[in-house]
Amino acid sequence: MAEFKQEDALIRLENVFKIYQTGETAVHALDGVTLDINRGEFVAIVGASGSGKSTCMNIIGCLDVPTSGSYHLAGEDVLAMNDDAKAKLRNKTLGFIFQQYNLIPKLNLCENVELAMLYAGMSAGERHKRSLQLLEQVGLADKANNVPSQLSGGQQQRVAIARALAGEPAVILADEPTGALDSQTGREVLGYLKLLNNEGRTIILITHDNAIARQAQRIIRLEDGKIVYDGQPDSPEAVVQAEVQA
Amino acid sequence: MDIKHALGVALRNLQANKIRCAQMLLGMVIGVASAVVILYMGSNLMQGVSDFYSAYSPSLMYMGVYTSVEKSPRVTVGDMEGLIASSEYITAVSPLVSVEDCNLRYNGETLADAQIKGVSEQFLQMKPACQAAAGRFLQPLDISRRQKVCVIGSAVAEELLGCQNFEDALGQTLKIRGENFTVIGVLAEIQPDLEKGNYESYIPYTTAKQLTGEIIAPLQEDYYLDIYYVNLNSVDNIINGRDTVRALLAEVSGRPYGETTGLFSLSTRTSQKYDRECVMGLVGKLLGVSGIVLLVGGVGIMNVMLAAVSERRREIGIRKAFGANNPDIRRQFMLEAFYTSGFGALLGVLIGMPAGWLVCQFMGSVPIGYAGELMINPDLLDLSSLLWPAVAASAAALLLGVLFGYLPARKAEQLEIVDCMRE
Ligand SMILES: Nc1ncnc2c1ncn2[C@@H]1O[C@H](COP(=O)(O)OP(=O)(O)OP(=O)(O)O)[C@@H](O)[C@H]1O
Ligand SMILES: [Mg+2]
């Protein structure tokens, strides 16, 4: 195992390709992506629909594997890991927030929040205590025993944030977390993400909303699977033109 | 993976899909219930067999001696009793003379189920359960003097003589085929008494022979049939005991065994073994049917679990995204199948236990075994005979649940997260 030095990037993608072979044509969802993300950064990934944002995030989140290239997380070669080690990474290092909230409908809020703790082997009593604390943090402790369908979208997304935090992850991956929300609730969710970033967590956020993207410290813009911009949010290059016009 | 968590999820999924749940559980419930009934009945029959034979010496043989009426000298009781001294295998001999149509009467009343058997005093060694509770059993003098005395079964004392206290029956006079007999003993009550052993009474065989006359073999009218109980020193000597008597027949008749004589012999061990095999065979065949029903139930569980896995892809993806590894997912679905079949087993037991009890109340007997039927004891209700069939049938159901849960669980664990999360 390579020694992870503090100055190394937390996330390092090198020349990553993801190619989908559909019949005759090959879709390059990622076409040679190389990027470093450091501990504590707040990065927004933007780009047109189909540009490869989700693919990129799924690879960073160990939900998917690239066709070629290399990926190091905290100095460790993720692609050399077995399923079990990757499950541990998802459990302890990574926290996910999805556009569709993706709460498990049959579980109540506490049980949903407890997932990462469950698979970390925490005792039921401790899990419950901690999940209540987390729900408290997102202002939903009073609904702990409700099921997701009894909540509004914004409330569900707050539960999802609490759930993402359950494993104390160093990295939070949010794929269009505000996409299904009105702008007011979206800003609220963004507020939570900023708070988490201030606590020192690395945030990677996919968004279509330029206003939200501009709140990040750094913007990565993808086009047809390639990085076409990586830098400060205030450059005109950072925004997605097509969507600005729309 | 938390067992309680999986239980909660399983229960909620069962609850959410009641119709599917019923369809899934039907086979399991019927399979378990029928297996419980069958096992319960089988253990009842088995218990009846061992209760019946426990009254007898384990090394007892029933022997029918055939002697040609015209062509052969006949083996006497004395010849047979001589074997006790001359043979190392034989320890006791008693003739058995059944008095058919005994017409047992007392004060003008008859007892329909009564049976009278003529035996010698040695019969007590072969059926130790024939201990007299009051008075005494037959003694050699009763035999040699052809006394008209009888040792009656407890049911005879109670029902015909109306004696609650068996001592009161002693000295009373009964009529057997119109002749007066004095009661000299009352036998201890047999419990349970499925074969109506408490209705049997014993008189000296010498007296019995006077009542019945010579006995001609049924279906072979040129042969006498003399029946004996012969007790051996060990169950291992059944063949030796039989050969000893054959040799005696040859010696007495002066011809090779089988020419003018014949011997039918049956050890209690053989007939008990046969009865047991009959019960096992019946139980085995019926359990086979239950097993098939259970298998169908298992396939039902598998189908429903497979459907559940593809319906719950997203849930699987989410669980994996938050750190579930493949064994976690597999265990969850196996546990769900386990709990589901456990639920089916529980229902099956709840139906099967009372159903088994009812069947045993009303069935009476089963037409198998050496004597043509084996009795069911409706009063056999001890906990173990009710519990172990429930435990065994449930264990089979749970095992099947796990076996048939394996395929869906494998399918679930092999799903790729990205495929699960896509719409
Ligand atoms: N399983 C797949 N099979 C074939 N092609 C795929 C698959 N998944 C993604 N793609 C293709 O890869 C490309 C990138 O997809 P991706 O989901 O990463 O885009 P995205 O930037 O997240 O888009 P959106 O903003 O619409 O979510 C698209 O062209 C898509 O059609
Ligand atoms: Mg996407």
Side-chain angles (χ1 to χ4, degrees):
Chain A
M1 195 189 294
E3 186 70 29
F4 177 61
K5 291 188 234 38
Q6 205 56 48
E7 63 268 21
D8 281 344
L10 178 63
I11 289 164
R12 168 162 290 168
L13 295 183
E14 283 167 304
N15 212 18
V16 166
F17 286 82
K18 180 74 186 185
I19 302 165
Y20 291 106
Q21 199 71 45
T22 44
E24 313 266 282
T25 58
V27 176
H28 288 236
L30 289 181
D31 200 11
V33 167
T34 297
L35 64 81
D36 278 5
I37 295 173
N38 293 312
R39 213 173 265 279
E41 276 197 276
F42 191 139
V43 182
I45 299 179
V46 299
S49 184
S51 57
K53 306 182 293 293
S54 295
T55 309
C56 183
M57 179 165 284
N58 288 343
I59 287 171
I60 294 173
C62 303
L63 303 178
D64 202 356
V65 284
T67 312
S68 69
S70 80
Y71 170 30
H72 289 80
L73 177 62
E76 290 191 50
D77 184 358
V78 172
L79 304 184
M81 288 181 181
N82 62 19
D83 285 350
D84 214 38
K86 280 194 271 193
K88 275 216 175 66
L89 269 187
R90 292 193 288 264
N91 187 240
K92 297 210 182 333
T93 310
L94 303 162
F96 297 94
I97 302 167
F98 303 96
Q99 179 176 5
Q100 278 83 23
Y101 327 126
N102 277 343
L103 299 174
I104 297 178
K106 291 263 161 46
L107 302 185
N108 66 28
L109 301 196
C110 265
E111 290 167 325
N112 264 293
V113 172
E114 283 170 22
L115 274 186
M117 301 183 249
L118 174 72
Y119 294 116
M122 202 182 272
S123 77
E126 218 175 321
R127 282 198 318 252
H128 190 67
K129 213 175 103 200
R130 218 176 116 54
S131 66
L132 279 177
Q133 280 171 3
L134 287 163
L135 284 172
E136 184 84 58
Q137 279 179 38
V138 295
L140 287 168
D142 54 326
K143 296 200 187 303
N145 291 318
N146 289 35
V147 289
S149 59
Q150 295 166 324
L151 268 59
S152 73
Q155 288 172 325
Q156 290 194 46
Q157 197 60 301
R158 273 146 63 192
V159 176
I161 291 171
R163 177 179 63 178
L165 291 175
E168 289 290 345
V171 183
I172 297 222
L173 300 165
D175 191 343
E176 300 191 46
T178 60
L181 304 175
D182 62 66
S183 57
Q184 169 62 34
T185 342
R187 267 197 294 283
E188 209 178 293
V189 166
L190 186 70
Y192 278 111
L193 292 179
K194 279 180 145 175
L195 218 67
L196 297 174
N197 181 239
N198 289 339
E199 287 173 7
R201 289 180 221 275
T202 309
I203 314 284
I204 302 172
L205 165 81
I206 293 179
T207 182
H208 274 111
D209 185 337
N210 288 323
I212 285 183
R214 254 184 240 111
Q215 313 245 351
Q217 298 161 355
R218 171 181 167 194
I219 289 185
I220 294 171
R221 190 150 77 82
L222 289 175
E223 236 177 71
D224 298 330
K226 290 192 178 70
I227 296 180
V228 293
Y229 178 83
D230 183 353
Q232 298 293 314
D234 42 19
S235 157
E237 278 293 295
V239 294
V240 182
Q241 297 306 327
E243 286 181 356
V244 169
Q245 285 156 11
Chain B
M1 181 70 201
D2 201 83
I3 287 173
K4 245 165 77 188
H5 177 84
L7 178 59
V9 174
L11 286 179
R12 271 171 260 181
N13 281 310
L14 284 178
Q15 216 176 9
N17 276 315
K18 292 205 182 66
I19 291 177
R20 175 193 278 185
C21 161
Q23 164 200 342
M24 162 160 72
L25 289 177
L26 193 66
M28 278 284 167
V29 173
I30 293 175
V32 168
S34 61
V36 168
V37 171
I38 292 158
L39 287 174
Y40 181 47
M41 193 187 74
S43 78
N44 189 314
L45 286 171
M46 220 42 146
Q47 185 63 45
V49 169
S50 58
D51 282 348
F52 176 76
Y53 286 99
S54 70
Y56 293 90
S57 155
S59 54
L60 178 62
M61 292 189 81
Y62 173 96
M63 290 189 174
V65 174
Y66 292 79
T67 320
S68 170
V69 172
E70 281 160 12
K71 296 180 193 150
S72 184
R74 186 169 170 193
V75 168
T76 64
V77 175
D79 294 333
M80 288 292 286
E81 286 175 343
L83 292 175
I84 299 169
S86 65
S87 160
E88 55 176 307
Y89 308 120
I90 292 170
T91 61
V93 171
S94 166
L96 174 69
V97 181
S98 294
V99 181
E100 307 292 338
D101 308 318
C102 60
N103 193 19
L104 183 68
R105 297 174 79 88
Y106 177 75
N107 276 352
E109 288 193 43
T110 49
L111 185 64
D113 289 321
Q115 288 189 38
I116 305 290
K117 289 180 170 164
V119 296
S120 80
E121 79 286 347
Q122 294 190 26
F123 184 70
L124 203 52
Q125 291 183 43
M126 303 161 192
K127 195 174 179 185
C130 268
Q131 283 300 337
R136 61 173 176 84
F137 195 70
L138 302 173
Q139 286 178 356
L141 273 181
D142 300 322
I143 314 294
S144 59
R145 291 185 182 167
R146 299 184 186 174
Q147 299 282 24
K148 290 190 173 158
V149 293
C150 63
V151 183
I152 58 175
S154 60
V156 179
E158 283 165 7
E159 293 178 26
L160 189 62
L161 280 67
C163 296
Q164 291 316 309
N165 185 352
F166 290 165
E167 298 289 340
D168 298 342
L170 302 178
Q172 303 281 351
T173 305
L174 298 169
K175 276 197 192 316
I176 299 172
R177 283 202 180 171
E179 307 236 5
N180 284 337
F181 280 74
T182 306
V183 176
I184 57 166
V186 182
L187 296 174
E189 190 177 345
I190 301 168
Q191 273 291 9
D193 183 27
L194 303 178
E195 314 275 342
K196 296 215 180 261
N198 288 328
Y199 289 84
E200 285 177 7
S201 301
Y202 297 93
I203 61 176
Y205 74 90
T206 44
T207 321
K209 266 198 175 143
Q210 284 186 325
L211 292 176
T212 59
E214 283 298 351
I215 294 174
I216 299 297
L219 305 177
Q220 271 180 293
E221 293 183 354
D222 48 347
Y223 277 81
Y224 293 116
L225 172 60
D226 299 307
I227 293 169
Y228 292 93
Y229 276 131
V230 174
N231 199 32
L232 306 176
N233 62 344
S234 152
V235 279
D236 301 326
N237 289 324
I238 287 167
I239 300 294
N240 290 330
R242 185 199 69 188
D243 289 346
T244 305
V245 176
R246 282 186 181 182
L248 177 72
L249 291 183
E251 188 191 320
V252 171
S253 65
R255 303 279 187 86
Y257 165 76
E259 226 170 76
T260 60
T261 53
L263 179 66
F264 166 82
S265 67
L266 172 69
S267 69
T268 44
R269 192 172 76 158
T270 305
S271 64
Q272 182 173 15
K273 202 169 142 233
Y274 180 79
D275 284 353
R276 282 175 180 281
E277 282 166 4
C278 286
V279 175
M280 299 290 258
L282 179 72
V283 167
K285 274 180 218 144
L286 293 176
L287 272 188
V289 178
S290 295
I292 290 169
V293 176
L294 270 180
L295 272 180
V296 172
V299 173
I301 286 188
M302 184 173 75
N303 278 333
V304 171
M305 291 296 295
L306 281 173
V309 167
S310 55
E311 240 169 52
R312 285 159 64 194
R313 289 163 76 94
R314 185 165 282 265
E315 173 187 335
I316 294 164
I318 294 166
R319 286 177 183 276
K320 284 189 168 184
F322 286 95
N325 57 24
N326 290 350
D328 286 327
I329 298 294
R330 187 174 67 224
R331 265 197 296 277
Q332 181 188 339
F333 280 92
M334 303 264 300
L335 276 172
E336 284 197 40
F338 182 79
Y339 290 134
T340 308
S341 56
F343 185 56
L346 187 70
L347 283 180
V349 164
L350 289 179
I351 294 171
M353 289 207 346
W357 183 80
L358 274 179
V359 164
C360 289
Q361 287 300 300
F362 296 112
M363 189 121 118
S365 69
V366 180
I368 53 170
Y370 212 98
E373 72 175 351
L374 290 176
M375 310 301 291
I376 287 182
N377 179 2
D379 300 325
L380 186 67
L381 260 179
D382 61 307
L383 206 60
S384 75
S385 68
L386 270 171
L387 271 188
W388 79 260
V391 171
S394 308
L398 288 175
L399 185 72
L400 278 175
V402 172
L403 282 180
F404 282 100
Y406 185 73
L407 189 73
R410 282 290 292 176
K411 232 189 111 180
E413 77 169 320
Q414 284 165 346
L415 288 174
E416 295 290 343
I417 302 175
V418 273
D419 297 332
C420 293
M421 304 304 264
R422 213 176 293 128
E423 243 72 7

